[in-house]
Amino acid sequence: MSAYDSLSTFPDVTPALESLAKTPSITPVVFSNGTQQMVGNSVHHSPDLSPYSHVFHDIITVEEVKKFKPHPDVYLHLAEKVNK
């Protein structure tokens, strides 16, 4: 699983995260089919993402729902988590 933490991001990710960091009207979250531990480790420890971990207001995974994207229940879960 440590290999997952060292995956590189696509070239457009860094400029996008820099832009999000400067846009207070947007509340960025990570929304993933992965586990909370796996995604959290990646966001906080990967060389490409960790410098921007502060940008994300939350890490939301589908673990609680026990279903995966694109199942509609996971999007309802996301909406509840972000109060929408």
Side-chain angles (χ1 to χ4, degrees):
M1 198 57 70
S2 62
Y4 185 81
D5 297 342
S6 62
L7 292 174
S8 296
T9 59
F10 291 105
D12 57 347
V13 170
T14 297
L17 291 174
E18 290 171 350
S19 180
L20 285 170
K22 298 174 189 172
T23 311
S25 61
I26 297 175
T27 305
V29 299
V30 174
F31 179 50
S32 176
N33 276 336
T35 66
Q36 190 74 31
Q37 181 179 4
M38 179 183 77
V39 177
N41 283 342
S42 184
V43 168
H44 295 291
H45 300 292
S46 79
D48 287 356
L49 282 178
S50 62
Y52 302 98
S53 63
H54 68 280
V55 173
F56 301 109
H57 291 249
D58 201 357
I59 297 172
I60 301 167
T61 67
V62 300
E63 272 183 296
E64 292 177 40
V65 183
K66 299 187 180 4
K67 296 175 185 165
F68 297 97
K69 295 185 263 180
H71 195 284
D73 288 353
V74 301
Y75 296 101
L76 291 172
H77 172 70
L78 172 63
E80 289 171 4
K81 289 289 190 179
V82 297
N83 297 317
K84 296 288 179 183

